[in-house]
Amino acid sequence: MNAPRKPQQRAEAERRWPVAVAIAVALLLYGLLPSTFTPAIRYGVVAVSTGILVALIFFNPARFVRETRWSRVLSGVQALVLVAGNQVALVELIVQLVTASHQSGPGLLLAALQVWTTNVIAFGVLYWEMDRGGPVARRRDQRSELPRADFRFPQDEDHDTIDEVRAGSSEKSDWMPGYLDYLYFSATDSMAFSPTDVMPLTARAKALMLMEAFAGFVILALVIARAVSLLGG
């Protein structure tokens, strides 16, 4: 009996460093939140996420060329832990912005920036992990073998436009999104509170975008209110 055919390599595997740097920045910002944010949760999230990140870097040090069931699980756990931990920090931030004294205002405004930035990075990682089977499958497997897409990018529908735009389309160049595409998408969702150029296609994608947009809106509204109160004081 012939051995099953391995999927043909479709495109060059995605580089490790953009997502590794982004996660490291998120963990640094999250770990440096003020002591009024529950230390046990913060340090636990940083420790678990750092351990997983180191293990995954050893597994794929330069590019995402290999994947096992356990590496896929660890990648998903890392994204979920960072998102969940930051939602706890978001709740604590809301409580402190509403109830804290006037003197603690500047520190809380900086903490709000840390929570917002961590949120953008964390949701970007989660979108990147879940869409079309994850970073390894997106660049390795044939399109017909990929799971259903969670997001539609502009390149996915640029095949029938002018030549210089069509040249970079998914159909013409076999383009696939990388982490920076998902980070940009996450940032625009958190600032515009709605889809911009990337559209959610599945219920889970819409639910996650709703959660991120709502968090961004709450942070912005409370930060503006707090800044006004500081100026008025």
Side-chain angles (χ1 to χ4, degrees):
M1 181 180 294
N2 293 331
R5 184 182 64 85
K6 293 183 179 180
Q8 181 182 354
Q9 185 76 20
R10 293 183 42 256
E12 190 175 30
E14 187 175 349
R15 294 184 185 275
R16 157 66 69 182
W17 71 264
V19 68
V21 170
I23 292 175
V25 170
L27 292 176
L28 180 63
L29 292 174
Y30 185 77
L32 292 178
L33 285 170
S35 58
T36 51
F37 292 77
T38 309
I41 296 178
R42 287 191 294 116
Y43 297 149
V45 168
V46 171
V48 170
S49 296
T50 301
I52 294 176
L53 179 60
V54 170
L56 292 175
I57 288 176
F58 272 107
F59 187 70
N60 279 317
R63 292 182 181 272
F64 291 92
V65 296
R66 296 189 296 162
E67 181 177 76
T68 66
R69 185 175 57 131
W70 286 110
S71 69
R72 186 84 178 115
V73 169
L74 282 178
S75 298
V77 168
Q78 181 182 54
L80 290 173
V81 166
L82 192 52
V83 168
N86 202 55
Q87 302 318 297
V88 174
L90 172 62
V91 172
E92 293 182 310
L93 174 68
I94 292 171
V95 172
Q96 293 181 42
L97 282 172
V98 171
T99 62
S101 63
H102 183 82
Q103 288 74 19
S104 62
L108 284 178
L109 293 182
L110 178 59
L113 178 60
Q114 292 172 251
V115 171
W116 184 89
T117 304
T118 302
N119 216 48
V120 168
I121 294 173
F123 272 96
V125 173
L126 188 55
Y127 299 149
W128 173 78
E129 284 287 356
M130 71 186 218
D131 188 31
R132 312 181 199 205
V136 175
R138 280 195 299 269
R139 302 294 181 93
R140 179 196 64 192
D141 298 347
Q142 296 297 310
R143 289 185 181 273
S144 59
E145 300 172 354
L146 292 176
R148 178 182 176 187
D150 288 285
F151 303 102
R152 186 189 72 209
F153 287 82
Q155 289 88 340
D156 296 330
E157 49 190 22
D158 285 345
H159 57 278
D160 58 352
T161 184
I162 57 176
D163 291 344
E164 62 271 26
V165 175
R166 182 170 63 249
S169 68
S170 300
E171 182 177 301
K172 183 72 174 178
S173 67
D174 207 17
W175 178 89
M176 272 289 179
Y179 176 68
L180 291 179
D181 298 291
Y182 293 98
L183 179 64
Y184 168 78
F185 160 53
S186 178
T188 57
D189 182 45
S190 197
M191 288 186 284
F193 317 127
S194 63
T196 51
D197 60 342
V198 179
M199 298 301 294
L201 301 177
T202 61
R204 65 177 183 175
K206 293 175 183 178
L208 289 171
M209 284 188 63
L210 176 61
M211 184 186 304
E212 182 185 10
F214 180 75
F217 175 78
V218 169
I219 292 174
L220 177 62
L222 290 179
V223 164
I224 292 174
R226 189 68 178 178
V228 169
S229 70
L230 289 175
L231 292 174

